[in-house]
Amino acid sequence: MTDFILSIIDLFKGLFRLLKVDYKKFRVILWAKLTDDNRQEKSVVQRKSKKQMSNSLAWIAFIYAFIGVLVGLMLLGIQDLFVSMVLVFAIIMVMTAVALISDFTSVLLDTTDNAILLPRPVDSRTLVVARLAHIMIYIMLITLSLSAASIAIGTFKLGPVFTLVFLVSLIFSVLFVVFVANVFYLLLMKISGGEHFRDIILYFQIFMAAFAMGSYQLLPRLIEFDALKSFTFPIRWWTYLVPPAWMAAPIDAAVNGDLSGPKIILSLLGLLVPVASIVVVIRFLAPGFNRAISQMETVGTSGKREQKDKVERWNLPAFFSRLFTSDPAERAVFQLSWRLSSRDRKFKLKTYPTFGYMLIIAFVLTLIGEKNILENLQSLPSTPKYIIFLYLGCILIPVVVLQQRFSDQYEAAWVYHALPFARPGDIQRGSLKAMIVKYGLPVFTPLVILVLLVWGPAVMDDIVLAFLNMVISSLVLAFIGRSDFPFSRRYGGAAESQRGLSGFIMFVVPAFLGLVHFLMTFIPYAIPVGILIAAGIVYMGMKAYGNIGWQSIRV
Amino acid sequence: MIETRPIITIRDLKKSYDGKNYVLRDIDLDIFPGQIIGYIGPNGAGKTTTVKILIGMLSDFEGEVTVFGLNVAERPLEVKQRIGYVPETAALYDTLTPLEYLRFIGQIYGISREETEARSLKMLEQFGLKSEADVRMNAFSKGMKQKVLIVAGMIHDPDILFLDEPLAGLDANTAIVIKEILAQLAVEGKTIFYCSHIMDVVERICNRIIIIDKGVVIANGTFDELQAMNKGKSLERIFSQLTGSSGHAEKAQDIISAFHRKEAE
């Protein structure tokens, strides 16, 4: 695979030489990076995970190809070629940019091979172009899977001229997107001064992930496709500012023979702007970018020192651990898990988007229906939809419980094995309690206020039952993952890929409990009885969970 | 002895990462070919920063630094081509095999594939890694990776070798071989820049010792010169005299009493 990619890149050798890149060195660096990526996933000791992991890239490609089918269908539905092409390229460019910023930040900001490459005689331009090419290879994969269906449909409908021009436009749009992402990062670095850069990127990624997940729910419900079918796109002055229009224009020009002035200008923009921007990236932005990245490591460590005393001002973990734990070991782990989950970037990145996603789902499920949003809002109090709100909250906590087994610093979990813990159950329960308190309270408090405001105090008993059911769901997940200590497993390792079943249970258990709860609302006195039963289960479950012995821990 | 020109000159070197706190404050040094420099200092003194500037990894600093008479900030590539660096942290692509990694490094230096392979295999054999030459390095111990890093640092026959704690993780026999290599290279006229915290090694192998503290050079000379100036017997003693803290025994006592359970109470 690596050789195949490199042989394709060899075709553009002249272009790289033109950019004053040392091609030999460039090629060998790219070879090392790609080989490293390729083996990274498979080379882990666990053979079992081999298959799943090496497929992760294929899986991403598959998902994007599926979305691509929906995109391609627009070619069939919309009459005007220019309009459909602008839409297709808009979607492709936005999705590529989002993928670039959210999924490939690690590749773009990778500092790990600095120590290998910076002491060697490689000029910074070659280094940056190698870095860019490395990313472009992945981005091209995404873009190609996204547009596969469009290419197929378009070729079938419009002939090979379409295919050729479309592919050329595609390459130029990717170049442009890479430029935009680069400028975006440089601006962020300038604004944040490097120190909080990674945090800002993190919150941007969380926002984007939630936005991407949510938009699949929202967009189809909001856009009325009927109106688009016969829509035409008059060219105004601002059309020249819309990059997808640059990419769509040459296709329209080539296929329909529309050689009018505006189309020619748009096509020229589509050709010149990406070329100019990539030259700007390599000539002017790249050196600064590289310097900023190599500084980031050092700044990152010196910045930490100043945060030292700020963290302890609100000693929430200590406060809550006294409230909810009695055993000293359990209390210690409670505080540790609380703090680690606040500071582990990966943990936030994996859990926080779900929170935003659930908010959007709640909105979709409760407010969007046959009638318009306002009417739905007015009739809300007479429906039992508070159950939906409460149980969406119930799903969030198991997500966190599931995730808290993983960390980039999984090796640090050796301490649990080295310290004299009598029962590992104390460790596990301390961490579970920390997750329930730390995430359960902030999720449930606004939910409770909202539900009480809309439905009134009559549903108080439902809230209590839902809360207990949330703890039960978390306990179920915790029992499934009982063999792993908190933050003891590697991301991307075997443990994470075997998680599939728990990911399913995570949704099924709260959904099932929610359904039972819903049915119980029709039986008089069922809710108070349910509360008693649920409380009993929580009590017994917590007790049993705390009694887990060493034999059930996986080393 | 023939008077030679310095191979490294450092003039008024200052470096700050954030514009406020200076990691290096006014360093002036001349280093001559054939010397083994022991570059020592407490944690955070600025050793690694100095090395990163000398090998052209960091280019924004104040002052003038030349290596082989070339300004490192302006012509880093020519400098990098002729120096070798063995970093403190085992930074390598550990999914590659030693041979693949060394071929990669060799190609960057522009050495032919056959030549790289011949040199690598010979060195790997001497380091006892011949049978692992085609095994991926992610299962390697720290010492084995360190050997590969040392080979990678020397493969292009550099004129100056920068080593940051190179003996970490190596077994005693390999450590002796490395020390012998350094001594023989110096006789050939190569320059060795050796950063370490292990004082007795520095005392034995280095013919010039530079101590820095808080970004300033506080001692510079042969071991005998340092001994004469500081009435210390060992380098360890001289080092602790110069870098501040006396009263190590009391400090140790305090530390021990901090974790002893108080039985008297």
Side-chain angles (χ1 to χ4, degrees), chain B:
Chain B
M1 196 180 148
I2 317 147
E3 191 65 24
T4 41
R5 290 204 298 161
I7 195 162
I8 297 174
T9 65
I10 303 176
R11 294 282 173 273
D12 310 318
L13 174 62
K14 294 191 188 73
K15 169 70 190 171
S16 164
Y17 287 104
D18 55 5
K20 286 172 287 187
N21 308 309
Y22 278 86
V23 184
L24 298 178
R25 304 177 296 170
D26 233 354
I27 302 252
D28 278 278
L29 284 175
D30 281 317
I31 289 159
F32 293 90
Q35 287 185 329
I36 302 181
I37 308 292
Y39 198 60
I40 56 180
N43 293 330
K47 293 187 300 293
T48 309
T49 304
T50 318
V51 172
K52 280 186 174 173
I53 288 171
L54 286 173
I55 65 172
M57 257 177 100
L58 286 173
S59 57
D60 47 344
F61 53 84
E62 298 161 46
E64 196 186 275
V65 177
T66 69
V67 179
F68 311 116
L70 304 165
N71 186 324
V72 249
E74 287 161 14
R75 300 165 76 177
L77 288 194
E78 289 153 81
V79 172
K80 285 178 185 176
Q81 186 68 39
R82 290 172 58 192
I83 60 164
Y85 175 47
V86 179
E88 186 186 10
T89 49
L92 35 70
Y93 293 113
D94 63 4
T95 56
L96 303 183
T97 71
L99 208 53
E100 282 174 327
Y101 182 71
L102 292 169
R103 250 186 241 138
F104 158 69
I105 296 293
Q107 256 174 298
I108 288 183
Y109 285 116
I111 312 169
S112 76
R113 191 188 165 102
E114 297 73 39
E115 185 64 33
T116 308
E117 272 174 29
R119 290 182 191 182
S120 305
L121 284 173
K122 231 186 245 170
M123 284 196 271
L124 289 175
E125 183 174 7
Q126 289 306 321
F127 280 125
L129 281 181
K130 199 180 184 190
S131 53
E132 282 91 358
D134 291 310
V135 178
R136 290 181 193 176
M137 294 186 280
N138 44 16
F140 278 24
S141 70
K142 185 173 189 315
M144 289 156 86
K145 283 184 187 170
Q146 187 67 20
K147 289 176 185 174
V148 176
L149 280 171
I150 290 171
V151 173
M154 299 193 299
I155 194 144
H156 56 300
D157 194 15
D159 294 320
I160 309 177
L161 195 53
F162 292 90
L163 304 158
D164 202 339
E165 215 64 82
L167 303 185
L170 295 182
D171 59 79
N173 290 328
T174 316
I176 294 170
V177 174
I178 299 288
K179 285 184 262 183
E180 189 58 36
I181 291 173
L182 299 182
Q184 292 187 19
L185 285 176
V187 172
E188 282 178 24
K190 309 256 179 187
T191 311
I192 316 287
F193 202 92
Y194 190 99
C195 297
S196 180
H197 290 294
I198 306 164
M199 293 301 145
D200 21 338
V201 176
V202 174
E203 181 182 323
R204 249 177 299 127
I205 67 167
C206 297
N207 47 32
R208 193 165 150 216
I209 293 162
I210 298 167
I211 305 179
I212 69 163
D213 190 19
K214 303 186 182 79
V216 183
V217 175
I218 53 172
N220 179 1
T222 62
F223 179 55
D224 293 337
E225 285 168 1
L226 293 191
Q227 255 182 333
M229 274 186 289
N230 297 286
K231 316 175 286 220
K233 258 196 186 147
S234 65
L235 181 59
E236 199 172 27
R237 280 284 168 79
I238 298 170
F239 181 81
S240 65
Q241 266 177 29
L242 289 171
T243 54
S245 57
S246 56
H248 292 113
E250 289 81 5
K251 204 175 253 180
Q253 188 67 58
D254 279 351
I255 292 171
I256 291 169
S257 69
F259 64 76
H260 265 332
R261 55 186 99 73
K262 308 199 172 39
E263 276 154 71
E265 283 172 35

Side-chain angles (χ1 to χ4, degrees), chain A residues 493-539:
Chain A
E496 200 183 12
S497 47
Q498 285 159 9
R499 218 187 47 174
L501 188 66
S502 5
F504 178 67
I505 292 170
M506 177 176 90
F507 289 102
V508 168
V509 172
F512 174 73
L513 292 174
L515 183 70
V516 171
H517 185 160
F518 175 69
L519 295 175
M520 279 161 79
T521 55
F522 296 106
I523 308 168
Y525 302 112
I527 302 288
V529 174
I531 291 177
L532 283 178
I533 296 171
I537 295 175
V538 167
Y539 177 76

